[in-house]
Amino acid sequence: MSRDVKQAYKNGTRAMDGKPGKNYWQNHGRYVISVTAMPPDRNIKGTETISYMNNSPDTLRNPAIKLFLNIHKPGAPREFGATPDYLTSGVHIDECKVNGQTVQVRSDQFVFTNVSIKLPKPLLPHDSLQFSFTWHYEISLQSGREGMIDSTTYFLAYFYPRVAVYDDYNGWDKMPFMDSHEFYSDFNDYDVTITVPKNYIVVGTGTLQHPENLLQQLFLKKYSEAFTSDQTIQIVTKQDWQAKNITAQNAVNSWRFTSTNIPDVAFGISDHFNWDGCSVVVDDATHRRAGAFAVYNDTAADYHQVAQYARHSLNWLSHHWPGVPYPYEKTTVFQGYAGMEYPMMANDETYEDTSFSRFVAEHEIAHTYMPFYMGINETRYGFMDEGWATTFEILIGREDLGKEKADEIFKQFRVDGWINNRSPGQDVPIVGPGDNMMGDALGNNEYGKPSLGYLAVKDLLGDELFKRCLHEYMNRWHGKHPIPWDFFFTFNDVAKRNLNWFWNNWYFSHNYIDLAVRSATRSGNDYSIIIENVGGMAAPVNVIANYSDGSKESFHQTPAIWQNNQQKAIVKISSKKKVESVSLDGGIFMDADTTNNTWKQKAF
Ligand SMILES: [Zn+2]
């Protein structure tokens, strides 16, 4: 445990059995936001009030405010370069008030994605205050996770000033947003109104209020039908747009969305994108359905299938892995350039290969659980969300494509870049802290490597016990801010096993996967096979006995073989046939050095 984390356990905000501690707290905001976007004008104007509740035992004097879009400012620290089309002048705070009193917000050339505000009067424990902001920014020509998709299609994300997380182990989150690292957000309530010209639709996070005041009768009917239809309803098509009579014919329309206890909001607006929708039962106990929508340019051939891909994702994730009913009323996949998740939204590119479009939609929708349902600190502990989305991705992929193909894709995309890269960053401990890592070391330690760890513990515990542990972790921590130890301790607690040897081996070490078969000795029908763990990682493996009659047999070994001795395991197999050679096959647990994976009986 790092020292900040040790202190949190000592303070009783977290507990060694993996439950939130008796002193657990988190802060909360109620955001009322009003934004105006009038394409092709790139100016986005907003006002908001934030009622912020300090549930901490601490007196807060200098709250940190996140201005994520300052990443577009020239000179902003970034992990990637920026083209001229990416650059803007950033976020302009026109006014900031605290409880009605105007306060100054620094805006000089050294202010980027974090700015601290000095409160006129400290915010005492268990007290609240109201911030109000008026701001504007220019939406960037080049879009990534947000920005202009085309001259009249905008993706609005991270667009509002928000109070950074103040938590029990780290205090104010002042980690800068530099693009490759993701986010850390409190669970807030949002009431967002987006004002756009007529004949623009707005889709995004939350429940659309009074759609009957926004959509013409025919489109309203189709929008409602999507929530009860298995088949895709084409709510708005390319042909429909030509009549320019989709929405109420006021000069501008204000689209209002509300959501509660959700970590963020994002919206897409367009005057020509297709809008498809369908739905599926996500909760068998209550028969609750959730909507699956796709909003895209008609030219994107794959996107005509995307509402069904999203529907399949909601269905599968709700019923199989993690096997927790999708927690929101809908999801919308919006065509952009990101491959990025937001609560109830994804921004995905178009691809020629529709199985890849489905793969990306599944991955981004899987993020619903981690980070959003679970409140993960993605910036510091990204393996707690990307590792899981990657795990659900292979499990759903095996259903879509069959095990062989899904495993092949996983090896190619998620494992090969780690295991066959000998540079030292690859083998640093997964636990991070990720905010101090970058490049492929960050990527491999957030995606493939931790995912293999989750799949290894699934193999170790068996599906039933693993699911029970996972569900209890999700049950204890959803809507909160778990850190890695809460996860590890919950698994120990629910499995009633001390798995620390495993967690240490996978998540806190410089281990990698390299197993070697050293010998096989025979005594009657019994063989003792000695496997050396060269790389150290407690990986599962298939031990393949190749018999003298040309047949072979596979003996699966879970990571349990490494529990008592992490350097050497003796695997015992029985067979009436004569073993001529033994080989190791880790499958997706790819081995860094396969030259030592086979042992052959010497000729007598
Ligand atoms: Zn992801």
Side-chain angles (χ1 to χ4, degrees):
M1 269 187 198
S2 52
R3 283 179 280 164
D4 55 345
V5 167
K6 269 187 193 162
Q7 189 63 43
Y9 283 90
K10 205 171 144 200
N11 293 345
T13 52
R14 289 157 203 274
M16 300 295 281
D17 61 5
K19 292 179 187 156
K22 62 182 190 322
N23 299 324
Y24 182 80
W25 55 266
Q26 66 192 29
N27 291 349
H28 180 80
R30 280 205 322 271
Y31 286 67
V32 180
I33 302 174
S34 184
V35 164
T36 301
M38 303 293 281
D41 182 357
R42 290 167 52 206
N43 233 345
I44 310 290
K45 293 179 204 155
T47 60
E48 71 177 345
T49 59
I50 308 168
S51 305
Y52 183 74
M53 180 73 203
N54 178 17
N55 294 318
S56 84
D58 308 325
T59 297
L60 305 179
R61 292 182 169 81
N62 299 291
I65 304 294
K66 294 286 184 191
L67 301 175
F68 290 118
L69 297 190
N70 271 342
I71 191 169
H72 291 279
K73 269 173 87 168
R78 285 182 213 97
E79 281 141 339
F80 307 111
T83 66
D85 280 355
Y86 185 80
L87 296 178
T88 71
S89 57
V91 183
H92 299 268
I93 302 292
D94 303 312
E95 188 178 60
C96 170
K97 287 182 176 173
V98 176
N99 289 335
Q101 190 178 334
T102 301
V103 298
Q104 290 310 311
V105 181
R106 266 186 66 198
S107 63
D108 57 74
Q109 58 182 323
F110 296 107
V111 171
F112 299 109
T113 58
N114 287 299
V115 67
S116 291
I117 289 181
K118 189 176 179 331
L119 296 180
K121 194 169 96 192
L123 176 59
L124 298 177
H126 312 294
D127 200 356
S128 65
L129 60 70
Q130 192 174 67
F131 293 101
S132 55
F133 288 96
T134 303
W135 78 98
H136 68 275
Y137 71 94
E138 191 176 51
I139 195 164
S140 63
L141 288 167
Q142 187 199 339
S143 92
R145 291 192 177 104
E146 43 70 43
M148 255 173 75
I149 310 292
D150 61 40
S151 62
T152 56
T153 303
Y154 292 0
F155 198 86
L156 306 181
Y158 323 113
F159 59 92
Y160 58 96
R162 81 179 81 169
V163 184
V165 175
Y166 182 77
D167 68 23
D168 62 309
Y169 63 95
N170 184 52
W172 287 110
D173 163 26
K174 294 185 183 175
M175 294 179 283
F177 174 58
M178 298 195 294
D179 221 17
S180 64
H181 290 78
E182 296 186 350
F183 304 89
Y184 182 29
S185 309
D186 269 324
F187 289 86
N188 298 316
D189 300 336
Y190 288 93
D191 181 338
V192 185
T193 300
I194 301 193
T195 299
V196 293
K198 67 181 167 194
N199 295 321
Y200 273 79
I201 55 164
V202 183
V203 296
T205 312
T207 303
L208 177 60
Q209 302 296 309
H210 299 292
E212 69 278 10
N213 298 340
L214 296 161
L215 291 168
Q216 298 288 355
Q217 199 56 40
L218 172 65
F219 304 104
L220 174 69
K221 185 164 165 283
K222 291 200 275 180
Y223 173 70
S224 311
E225 270 170 17
F227 284 97
T228 57
S229 171
D230 293 341
Q231 268 71 51
T232 302
I233 306 272
Q234 296 180 307
I235 303 166
V236 179
T237 64
K238 189 184 171 194
Q239 287 70 37
D240 294 330
W241 281 116
Q242 281 156 9
K244 292 213 176 295
N245 194 25
I246 306 282
T247 69
Q249 293 301 299
N250 309 309
V252 296
N253 289 314
S254 292
W255 296 62
R256 182 173 168 222
F257 297 83
T258 59
S259 49
T260 55
N261 267 317
I262 201 159
D264 197 5
V265 291
F267 301 92
I269 71 176
S270 183
D271 69 346
H272 62 284
F273 269 25
N274 291 359
W275 190 6
D276 290 350
C278 52
S279 57
V280 66
V281 173
V282 291
D283 188 344
D284 296 332
T286 62
H287 307 292
R288 181 172 63 83
R289 296 180 78 92
F293 295 84
V295 177
Y296 58 97
N297 198 323
D298 193 65
T299 54
D302 59 334
Y303 251 95
H304 293 260
Q305 317 292 324
V306 165
Q308 284 298 325
Y309 295 157
R311 179 179 182 273
H312 167 62
S313 308
L314 299 183
N315 186 19
W316 196 91
L317 294 161
S318 298
H319 291 104
H320 298 279
W321 296 100
V324 170
Y326 179 76
Y328 308 129
E329 68 167 39
K330 63 172 177 286
T331 187
T332 303
V333 183
F334 199 93
Q335 188 191 340
Y337 299 99
M340 182 63 193
E341 71 277 8
Y342 316 77
M344 302 173 70
M345 278 286 263
N347 172 332
D348 289 352
E349 286 179 84
T350 172
Y351 300 99
E352 250 172 53
D353 174 2
T354 51
S355 65
F356 199 72
S357 315
R358 178 176 59 189
F359 173 89
V360 176
E362 290 168 347
H363 177 99
E364 305 314 340
I365 294 172
H367 273 303
T368 298
Y369 299 94
M370 290 83 163
F372 302 130
Y373 187 69
M374 300 298 290
I376 304 299
N377 180 345
E378 304 163 66
T379 327
R380 179 155 296 168
Y381 301 120
F383 76 96
M384 295 179 76
D385 85 296
E386 293 300 351
W388 280 110
T390 303
T391 301
F392 299 146
E393 161 200 303
I394 184 178
L395 296 174
I396 192 171
R398 283 173 178 169
E399 162 138 339
D400 295 343
L401 304 166
K403 185 168 186 302
E404 205 180 320
K405 182 95 174 85
D407 286 9
E408 211 38 60
I409 291 172
F410 189 81
K411 281 155 82 171
Q412 227 178 68
F413 269 111
R414 303 304 195 190
V415 189
D416 184 67
W418 162 52
I419 203 68
N420 290 320
N421 182 342
R422 294 195 176 113
S423 69
Q426 310 310 313
D427 298 333
V428 299
I430 292 168
V431 76
D435 53 304
N436 289 303
M437 289 153 64
M438 60 191 292
D440 52 10
L442 176 71
N444 288 325
N445 282 289
E446 282 194 346
Y447 289 78
K449 202 173 141 188
S451 174
L452 286 170
Y454 298 139
L455 291 163
V457 77
K458 178 171 175 282
D459 190 58
L460 175 67
L461 298 179
D463 278 5
E464 201 229 297
L465 181 56
F466 174 78
K467 190 173 261 188
R468 202 141 44 81
C469 295
L470 175 60
H471 281 192
E472 183 56 18
Y473 163 61
M474 294 177 73
N475 184 38
R476 289 175 177 185
W477 286 96
H478 86 81
K480 299 190 171 69
H481 293 309
I483 55 175
W485 295 267
D486 302 315
F487 166 77
F488 300 136
F489 292 156
T490 292
F491 266 59
N492 288 357
D493 186 46
V494 178
K496 297 194 170 56
R497 287 195 214 174
N498 186 341
L499 298 169
N500 289 351
W501 70 272
F502 180 89
W503 308 127
N504 279 322
N505 179 289
W506 267 93
Y507 292 90
F508 294 84
S509 78
H510 289 79
N511 291 338
Y512 60 97
I513 303 172
D514 179 15
L515 306 182
V517 55
R518 291 305 183 203
S519 66
T521 48
R522 181 183 182 184
S523 160
N525 289 336
D526 299 326
Y527 291 85
S528 285
I529 298 157
I530 295 184
I531 302 175
E532 190 190 335
N533 199 335
V534 180
M537 215 157 221
V541 67
N542 290 323
V543 176
I544 315 230
N546 302 295
Y547 297 123
S548 55
D549 65 0
S551 65
K552 57 183 173 181
E553 197 173 353
S554 175
F555 298 85
H556 182 70
Q557 307 299 312
T558 78
I561 58 170
W562 306 113
Q563 178 163 1
N564 295 323
N565 183 341
Q566 291 178 28
Q567 278 86 53
K568 193 176 91 173
I570 302 169
V571 171
K572 294 193 184 288
I573 63 169
S574 281
S575 177
K576 287 185 180 133
K577 296 185 182 179
K578 187 168 172 271
V579 174
E580 273 202 337
S581 69
V582 173
S583 50
L584 302 179
D585 181 6
I588 55 171
F589 295 87
M590 289 171 76
D591 197 300
D593 176 8
T594 52
T595 62
N596 54 23
N597 284 20
T598 303
W599 170 91
K600 273 195 180 67
Q601 178 74 266
K602 289 195 186 76
F604 290 106

